[in-house]
Amino acid sequence: MSKTIDPKSVKLFHAPRDQFRMTVDQEYSVVMVEPKWAAPLSHPGKNLGLLNAKGEELIMFQSLEDVEGDSRLALEAELSRRYLTSTIHKILHAKVEYGSTYWTVITERGERDFVAQSLQENAQWMGPSHLLLVDIDGNRFEIPDVNALDLKSREYIETIV
């Protein structure tokens, strides 16, 4: 359970460069802080929690608007790193085995292999043709427009998702 912390008393920063930290009112600091959206797929941009290294909630922001200045920039950078999303341009292969789906795709970062379990939970239609897949490591892969994919890629989507 989180204590009542005034969002304006929170300072967020990276120190050293790859470690995300939180200081409250110059009174105490938390060395390893992890930002996590409460429901990134169903309520994107709402209810952002900061967790300590044990996974305990330190504070919950209603949105990024609750954080200002350099703290907001640091938080956005950390979120961008944690919620990195690759865009799928082509599906080379996909198969389902024992509830897991194995994908080989071409993204803007090159060819990638990933595994997604339970597509009922980890495949989310964000719009009529916008699909988001989340793999077992929490990496996100999106297809902004399934209709823009080649025929074979669309067949994989229609068959599996």
Side-chain angles (χ1 to χ4, degrees):
M1 174 180 270
S2 64
K3 299 174 186 172
T4 302
I5 299 174
D6 179 3
K8 292 179 181 171
S9 67
V10 173
K11 181 181 177 194
L12 302 169
F13 56 100
H14 289 90
R17 197 176 94 190
D18 292 334
Q19 196 164 53
F20 193 55
R21 295 175 172 225
M22 176 178 93
T23 297
V24 179
D25 274 337
Q26 302 290 326
E27 293 179 13
Y28 68 95
S29 290
V30 181
V31 176
M32 296 177 63
V33 177
E34 180 180 2
K36 278 200 168 182
W37 292 108
L41 299 180
S42 60
H43 295 89
K46 296 182 180 175
N47 300 320
L48 176 66
L50 295 182
L51 311 178
N52 65 16
K54 295 178 182 175
E56 299 166 337
E57 184 181 300
L58 302 167
I59 186 171
M60 177 71 74
F61 299 114
Q62 301 233 338
S63 73
L64 285 176
E65 309 302 319
D66 294 347
V67 185
E68 298 176 344
D70 290 342
S71 290
R72 170 113 175 233
L73 294 175
L75 179 57
E76 288 174 343
E78 187 67 13
L79 286 169
S80 176
R81 188 177 72 80
R82 293 193 176 273
Y83 288 94
L84 180 67
T85 301
S86 296
T87 301
I88 295 174
H89 298 294
K90 184 175 186 174
I91 299 170
L92 300 176
H93 183 73
K95 67 178 180 181
V96 178
E97 286 185 3
Y98 305 108
S100 296
T101 309
Y102 297 82
W103 302 84
T104 301
V105 300
I106 300 291
T107 73
E108 78 277 20
R109 295 179 177 86
E111 187 173 324
R112 297 288 186 261
D113 294 313
F114 67 94
V115 179
Q117 292 181 323
S118 179
L119 289 183
Q120 293 172 335
E121 296 175 18
N122 294 305
Q124 181 81 32
W125 288 99
M126 306 302 287
S129 63
H130 184 186
L131 179 63
L132 180 68
L133 301 167
V134 180
D135 76 3
I136 57 174
D137 296 319
N139 299 310
R140 300 157 56 105
F141 297 84
E142 74 172 344
I143 303 172
D145 184 1
V146 170
N147 299 321
L149 295 175
D150 63 280
L151 177 62
K152 189 69 177 171
S153 296
R154 289 194 314 265
E155 287 176 354
Y156 282 124
I157 296 294
E158 291 171 7
T159 303
I160 294 175
V161 179

